[in-house]
Amino acid sequence: MDVDRNGWASFRVAPLPVSSAYTLLAPDPSARVDIAVWAHKARTFFGVALELLQPKAYPNGEAPAADAAVVLVQRKGRSAATRVLVVTVPVEEAPEARVSAEAGAAAIGGAGMDVLVQRGRRVWQVSSEVAAGDDPDAPLALAAILASILLAPIVPPGGGTIFGVKGARERLGLA
């Protein structure tokens, strides 16, 4: 992936298709990746090691409007990390994501998720695609970690529902 001197994507970042990504709508509008916080939360509460393939810097407190990163996700019992693509864009640039999240909330009768969707100001997407032989559940694990940090609900690839960290943990337990 091409990045600039700050580790930010040096290409136009577009949202991923909702059919091939875990989609999260976060209330915080920032595109900042705080890998130290992410890695701590992952290790402490999920037993997962996280690392950025390319480090990011935020000089003068600035952050890009949209960004992408490859996150190395290593779950317990796995001998190697899985590369997982994460993209983030303002919610206005991802109307399909908002529609999918609203439909997922409606499918479960709202349950408070509808309120969280309406508060969403930034879309974070975790690609569900991994290389052959890699951990197929690494993207869901990363989505669960991000949901816990960003306080964002998760719409699974293809939509149809919406869930939070507990729902993601349940799905990981079944995998």
Side-chain angles (χ1 to χ4, degrees):
M1 181 171 27
D2 293 329
V3 296
D4 66 13
R5 69 176 188 266
N6 293 317
W8 303 354
S10 59
F11 53 90
R12 184 187 176 286
V13 176
L16 300 172
V18 294
S19 61
S20 62
Y22 291 93
T23 300
L24 297 86
L25 275 77
D28 185 344
S30 174
R32 192 180 183 104
V33 173
D34 188 341
I35 194 58
V37 169
W38 290 18
H40 174 73
K41 179 81 83 166
R43 184 177 51 256
T44 304
F45 298 105
F46 295 87
V48 174
L50 291 185
E51 179 179 337
L52 282 178
L53 186 62
Q54 297 167 312
K56 296 192 177 285
Y58 301 96
N60 304 318
E62 296 175 11
D67 202 8
V70 174
V71 181
L72 303 174
V73 180
Q74 187 167 1
R75 295 190 320 137
K76 280 186 179 175
R78 299 286 175 166
S79 60
T82 297
R83 291 175 182 228
V84 180
L85 174 66
V86 175
V87 301
T88 184
V89 298
V91 73
E92 298 81 21
E93 293 181 22
E96 183 185 22
R98 165 91 68 195
V99 168
S100 184
E102 288 171 345
I108 64 165
M113 293 294 184
D114 50 347
V115 174
L116 293 176
V117 169
Q118 293 307 312
R119 290 182 183 162
R121 295 179 62 201
R122 174 155 295 278
V123 171
W124 289 84
Q125 290 181 297
V126 178
S127 175
S128 61
E129 299 174 5
V130 296
D134 278 351
D135 180 0
D137 296 319
L140 177 54
L142 181 55
I145 293 161
L146 293 182
S148 72
I149 294 166
L150 302 170
L151 305 176
I154 304 167
V155 179
T161 190
I162 193 168
F163 50 86
V165 177
K166 180 181 175 192
R169 283 183 179 277
E170 290 169 354
R171 285 161 176 80
L172 283 167
L174 295 173

